[in-house]
Amino acid sequence: MFYYNNLNATLTSATVGIENGAGNDGLQIAYDAAYLTNNLAVQIAADPEWLTLNNYSGTIYSGNSINVGLLINTDGIDLGDYSMDMEITTNDPVHPLMVVPITMTVSSEVPVELVSFNAEIVDGKVILNWSTATETNNSGFQIEKREKSNVKGQTEFNSVGFVTGKGTTTEKTFYSYSDKNEKPGTYLYRLKQIDFDGTFSYSNEIEIEVTGPKDFALYQNYPNPFNPSTTIKFALPVKTNLSLSVYNTLGEKVAEIFNGELEAGYHEMMFDASGLSSGIYFYKIESENYSATKKLMLLK
């Protein structure tokens, strides 16, 4: 940077720039210009060749967020730890400038390189699929979820499961996780990749909408026949007070699995028949607006 403090002399034109010692190469800023003024400061700078920054701009509403990407090419950079600051200017009178510290370690180790991460709805469940190109010291992935909300701070990410990683590998690896969502709504998912030494990093967030059932339904238990436990699934289009019970062939109630209120959505409950003898039984769901019965078989 260079700075002109006083340009009070009589000037009809001026040329401003920099050049090499031989005077045969340089950078011209102004040529034969008559508009130079006092207190003129000129800064000449260039972004480092190893950094590519996507210059994001726009409006971020309260409670929302955006991702800002820095692409750093480490080819030719010495191994070691680096630090830098990213400055974000805003129209917020309280915080017109935000400084985000960034740290980076350049090493010869193969990173955990996530190449894909997506979600889909299958049989009322959210199926997460992701893959890695390489992994180093990867303990695994913690799956985190939160319900999307327009109210700031209303919901936070919570852990819903963990998938073990492959440790260290240079082969492409595929992963999958199934998450049960009983409540319809829009959800955000992310992966927390954790190394064996406890260090971690987050993936990008993906969004998926979970729609509720349109009608009441009681599904066939699985497995069937079973011993000693089985899973019973049902669907509720609205919040419902209900009972789920098991009866023998004489019509006698032998077990009450649930009695109470449940939110709209898909539900499943485990029935343990350890105290019953082998035979045919019936499970029945009852509510003010719906009733259904199905048969199950216990084989010991």
Side-chain angles (χ1 to χ4, degrees):
M1 174 182 287
F2 53 89
Y3 174 60
Y4 292 98
N5 183 42
N6 191 325
L7 294 173
N8 288 331
T10 301
L11 295 174
T12 58
S13 66
T15 297
V16 177
I18 59 173
E19 63 182 17
N20 61 4
N24 57 14
D25 191 16
L27 175 65
Q28 184 174 267
I29 299 172
Y31 178 75
D32 283 345
Y35 49 78
L36 298 179
T37 62
N38 288 338
N39 302 317
L40 172 66
V42 178
Q43 179 177 356
I44 300 174
D47 290 335
E49 295 180 353
W50 47 267
L51 174 63
T52 301
L53 171 63
N54 293 327
N55 186 19
Y56 289 90
S57 63
T59 302
I60 306 175
Y61 295 97
S62 176
N64 292 336
S65 63
I66 62 169
N67 292 324
V68 176
L70 297 175
L71 178 60
I72 299 175
N73 180 9
T74 59
D75 290 342
I77 298 180
D78 294 336
L79 302 182
D81 296 326
Y82 296 82
S83 63
M84 64 194 83
D85 289 332
M86 179 172 63
E87 295 184 348
I88 303 174
T89 57
T90 78
N91 61 354
D92 185 347
V94 180
H95 304 288
L97 177 66
M98 295 185 294
V99 179
V100 180
I102 299 173
T103 60
M104 177 180 72
T105 299
V106 180
S107 70
S108 58
E109 292 185 347
V110 178
V112 177
E113 183 182 353
L114 186 69
V115 295
S116 67
F117 180 35
N118 56 71
E120 60 180 338
I121 302 293
V122 178
D123 295 332
K125 295 181 179 181
V126 176
I127 306 299
L128 302 176
N129 297 294
W130 67 97
S131 62
T132 60
T134 59
E135 298 181 24
T136 297
N137 298 324
N138 181 23
S139 173
F141 301 90
Q142 181 172 291
I143 293 88
E144 297 186 348
K145 175 182 74 173
R146 76 174 177 90
E147 186 175 3
K148 186 176 181 180
S149 172
N150 293 325
V151 180
K152 183 178 180 181
Q154 181 171 327
T155 57
E156 300 293 337
F157 275 100
N158 294 303
S159 174
V160 295
F162 185 84
V163 175
T164 302
K166 296 296 183 180
T168 299
T169 179
T170 57
E171 297 182 355
K172 191 171 184 178
T173 306
F174 297 90
Y175 296 92
S176 183
Y177 181 80
S178 175
D179 182 42
K180 179 180 66 176
N181 271 286
E182 298 179 349
K183 181 182 177 183
T186 302
Y187 293 87
L188 297 174
Y189 287 87
R190 69 182 182 186
L191 301 175
K192 182 179 181 181
Q193 185 274 314
I194 306 174
D195 289 344
F196 287 118
D197 62 3
T199 59
F200 62 88
S201 62
Y202 289 105
S203 72
N204 62 301
E205 300 172 9
I206 57 175
E207 179 178 311
I208 190 166
E209 183 178 359
V210 178
T211 58
K214 297 181 179 180
D215 301 300
F216 288 97
L218 178 64
Y219 304 108
Q220 187 63 52
N221 65 299
Y222 181 84
N224 190 45
F226 69 98
N227 179 32
S229 61
T230 186
T231 299
I232 299 173
K233 300 181 180 180
F234 53 94
L236 306 175
V238 295
K239 181 186 290 188
T240 305
N241 274 302
L242 61 92
S243 64
L244 180 62
S245 303
V246 178
Y247 297 84
N248 61 21
T249 54
L250 300 177
E252 300 170 331
K253 181 189 292 189
V254 296
E256 185 173 73
I257 303 173
F258 179 81
N259 193 327
E261 186 178 64
L262 290 174
E263 295 286 344
Y266 296 93
H267 301 269
E268 60 180 50
M269 295 187 177
M270 184 72 67
F271 171 51
D272 187 347
S274 299
L276 300 177
S277 57
S278 297
I280 301 295
Y281 294 88
F282 299 90
Y283 59 99
K284 182 177 183 180
I285 186 172
E286 288 185 286
S287 70
E288 182 179 354
N289 300 314
Y290 180 70
S291 177
T293 303
K294 287 189 177 295
K295 180 172 66 175
L296 51 80
M297 179 179 296
L298 173 63
L299 291 180
K300 291 188 174 181

